[in-house]
Structures are given as structure tokens and as C-alpha cells.
Amino acid sequence: MLFRSLPLHNLEGAVFARPVPGRRSFAERVTRQFEARAIAAAERQAVRDAVLTVTVSEVDRDLAQAMAPGARVQCVPNTVDVDALPQLPPPPATTPVRLLMVGTLDYPPNREALAELVEQHLPRLRSAFPGLVLRVVGRDDGGVLAA
């Protein structure tokens, strides 16, 4: 099948191939490896078939290019030009620093990012910014936040 353009938000094969924090059974680890290989094979074929593949990160662009040498792959970063936006006045010094994470927590990379944020970064951030408030916005059908 020929795709005119193939937009890739993530290369899911690479996401599935990453180790997942926490203990998993042997069967879960093996299943995840098979899934990663199958997804990567489908992505490889799709990138080969596309006239243009668009990624949102240079890491994914490089992965797509490596899986299908000769394919036309372009990175269009998922960013905002903050210099082009009107700036709000700074809040009063008594306003606590707020940190916002937006993402559904049934998606493994979002769960992993939240765990890393809470376990590794939040303690240091709170020591640098007393009163820091973390807000997590998104679907949480699995009760990740409660845990």
C-alpha cells in the first residue's frame, strides 16, 4: 500500500521495545518483545511505502531513517514559538509555581514519564520551588494516580 504521507507521532515499535519499570512476568516480557518486533516490522514497511514520513522528534526521524534507508523522512517538531505569543505579566511572588502534565495514563510512555517525574524530579523541584503544585490532567482508567 502506498501512503502519500505517513504522520508518525511515535515509533511504537521503539516504545514497546523499551524496558518498562517494575516487575513483569517472563510471559509479559516475551510478549512485549514479540509485539515490539511485529510493530517495528509494520512501521518499517509503512515508512518504505510512504512518499513522505513525518515525525515530531529528531530521535524518531533518525529511527525511521535507520529502519528504511533511502526513505524520505522529515521532522516537524511538536513545539510552540513562545516568542511569538503575547506574554502575561509575572504572577505575584506569593503564587506557587505550577507544573502541568497532560496525557492519558493508559498510554505506557505517559505512565513512565509521570513515574519518573514524581520519583526522580519532583523532590528536587519542590526543594527549589517550595509550594510547587503538580497537576496531572488526562484519563486515568487504571487508577495510576491513586497508586
Side-chain angles (χ1 to χ4, degrees), residues 43-62:
E43 288 172 331
R44 184 178 307 106
Q45 189 61 52
V47 171
R48 285 180 184 147
D49 290 347
V51 172
L52 171 66
T53 298
V54 179
T55 66
V56 297
S57 76
E58 292 180 11
V59 169
D60 280 348
R61 180 202 57 213
D62 294 346

Side-chain angles (χ1 to χ4, degrees), residues 77-95:
N78 219 355
T79 61
V80 174
D81 182 0
V82 293
D83 293 331
L85 297 174
Q87 300 297 306
L88 296 173
T94 57
T95 303

Side-chain angles (χ1 to χ4, degrees), residues 3 11 14 20 26 45 47 54 64 76 85 89 101 125 135-136 143 146:
F3 297 102
L11 282 166
V20 176
F26 176 75
Q45 189 61 52
V47 171
V54 179
V76 178
L85 297 174
M101 179 178 175
L125 288 168
R135 298 270 190 250
V136 181

Side-chain angles (χ1 to χ4, degrees), residues 97-100 113-136:
V97 173
R98 294 184 182 105
L99 181 60
L100 176 65
L114 180 60
E116 181 178 319
L117 173 63
V118 169
E119 295 165 9
Q120 297 177 25
H121 305 293
L122 198 55
R124 291 179 61 198
L125 288 168
R126 284 209 166 124
S127 67
F129 303 99
L132 178 136
V133 175
L134 170 62
R135 298 270 190 250
V136 181

